[in-house]
Amino acid sequence: MSGGRVIVISGGVGGAKLVLGLAHAVPAERLIVVTNTADDFDHFGLRICPDTDTVLYTLSGLADPGKGWGRVDETWTFMGAMKALGGADWFSLGDGDLALHVLRTERLRAGANLTEITRDVATAMGIDATVLPMCDQPVSTKVDTTQGRLAFQEYFVRERCVPRVTGFEFNGIDTARVNPALAAALADRPEAIIIAPSNPFVSVDPILAIPGMRDLLRGCGAPIVAVSPIVGGTAIKGPAAKMFSEAGHDPTALAVARHYQGFADGIVIDELDTGLASDVAALGLGVEVLPTIMCDLQTRIDLASQTVAFASRLGGGLER
Ligand code: FO1
């Protein structure tokens, strides 16, 4: 490793696993985590930022290890009371988690931005790495389905990803601005850009869709490496494979590579997909075959350090 910053682009549960590995493999002062905020929404008058919170809880050791989102040892008194009153109970907010949403909402109303709030929460949680929301302006993913347009959490949680997807729109993206702290880090010769094994359509694409983001990432000179969230034809977590199928593509690591073709310099695919390596390479991408299923902390750390090493090797040969 050469000592520059490692910038990782992450969604929620799947991405946070690699983020935790990176937090062990890369010194904290060199790690920047950029989170998707297009899943954010208002619920019960509170601002909920699921992917950012999942990263914060994961890095601080507070995450529920079973679900991957929310807090470990959570209690659900609020939700029980809400349900008894006839309130909406399709989106579960634990009692401890609720404190974060109340605090964030109060601070947003008082004029703080998401970056400041996230920094202060990370500090309070004892997180040393930098966690940056992709932007401070509200962006919200809308999922077009054969049953009509749904807000992202309605599609994901309330409808359990069942409706067939016909497209996505990121409302507010035109007026979103790349997080200034990220822009500054990109101008400071980072060592590597890692795209975590998050959903390409709804976790990574919103980040890349911020005006100017792709050019900043491509132009910073660092190698861009994606880790495939599709292994052996299925998604490790969530609806990514279903979304590829509904878009008319076989859900494979090759489809992920095609998705990032022209943007990423390389892709990490799983050992189960070794047979796809030559097809991926034929797209003009560097390929690294690794065990990518992160079942415990050590496999996360191993994948993180091997991914950074792969990026560094690619970086040596980059000509842009
Ligand atoms: N996911 C669910 O499947 N059901 C829930 O009720 C739910 C609540 C929830 C509350 C706070 C939070 O930070 C995340 C929560 N998630 C829940 C996860 C979230 O919907 C997804 O992880 C992401 O938005 C997709 O990356």
Side-chain angles (χ1 to χ4, degrees):
M1 258 183 241
S2 75
R5 286 199 184 88
V6 173
I7 298 174
V8 54
I9 289 172
S10 180
V13 177
K17 290 184 182 180
L18 184 67
V19 168
L20 183 63
L22 286 165
H24 284 80
V26 175
E29 67 276 10
R30 289 179 40 211
L31 181 61
I32 296 180
V33 188
V34 181
T35 58
N36 169 40
T37 61
D39 288 11
D40 297 7
F41 75 128
D42 292 317
H43 196 52
F44 301 131
L46 300 172
R47 191 69 180 154
I48 319 287
C49 303
D51 286 359
T52 305
D53 292 354
T54 295
V55 166
L56 291 170
Y57 287 145
T58 302
L59 284 176
S60 61
L62 289 172
D64 180 306
K67 297 197 302 286
W69 53 268
R71 296 173 68 118
V72 68
D73 297 331
E74 185 60 282
T75 57
W76 302 92
T77 304
F78 168 79
M79 283 312 295
M82 180 60 77
K83 190 174 178 184
L85 291 170
D89 67 343
W90 60 270
F91 193 82
S92 301
L93 296 177
D95 300 330
D97 189 31
L98 199 55
L100 175 51
H101 311 310
V102 170
L103 179 81
R104 176 167 44 225
T105 305
E106 182 192 39
R107 288 202 58 193
L108 284 169
R109 285 190 189 140
N113 66 33
L114 207 52
T115 301
E116 294 162 345
I117 299 165
T118 304
R119 179 198 60 207
D120 293 347
V121 169
T123 302
M125 289 179 173
I127 297 169
D128 295 324
T130 301
V131 180
L132 296 176
M134 66 187 201
C135 62
D136 284 315
Q137 297 73 31
V139 175
S140 56
T141 297
K142 305 296 174 201
V143 186
D144 287 320
T145 76
T146 48
Q147 297 170 32
R149 171 167 282 206
L150 297 168
F152 179 76
Q153 297 296 344
E154 293 172 348
Y155 164 80
F156 191 86
V157 175
R158 197 188 68 198
E159 304 301 326
R160 298 172 194 283
C161 309
V162 171
R164 188 182 173 85
V165 176
T166 55
F168 304 99
E169 194 176 301
F170 308 131
N171 275 9
I173 202 76
D174 293 344
T175 49
R177 280 179 289 116
V178 174
N179 188 309
L182 173 60
L186 290 170
D188 191 28
R189 301 177 58 83
E191 178 179 338
I193 313 288
I194 311 287
I195 301 176
S198 297
N199 187 306
F201 300 102
V202 291
S203 298
V204 178
D205 280 359
I207 300 177
L208 302 184
I210 296 174
M213 181 69 90
R214 281 176 178 265
D215 289 345
L216 278 176
L217 291 167
R218 288 288 301 167
C220 76
I224 301 174
V225 166
V227 179
S228 174
I230 304 274
V231 172
T234 53
I236 297 299
K237 180 102 181 118
K242 181 173 178 281
M243 287 174 174
F244 272 110
S245 298
E246 290 170 355
H249 308 294
D250 285 340
T252 62
L254 180 60
V256 177
R258 287 201 183 102
H259 190 88
Y260 293 127
Q261 189 181 14
F263 176 69
D265 299 296
I267 182 162
V268 175
I269 64 173
D270 192 77
E271 289 171 337
L272 278 176
D273 295 316
T274 306
L276 297 173
S278 56
D279 287 344
V280 172
L283 298 174
L285 286 160
V287 194
E288 183 81 339
V289 180
L290 293 171
T292 66
I293 299 174
M294 295 174 277
C295 46
D296 57 21
L297 179 60
Q298 194 55 52
T299 51
R300 295 174 192 200
I301 297 171
D302 291 346
L303 179 60
S305 46
Q306 288 173 299
T307 300
V308 174
F310 170 50
S312 297
R313 287 198 305 278
L314 279 179
L318 269 192
E319 278 178 40
R320 284 204 191 126

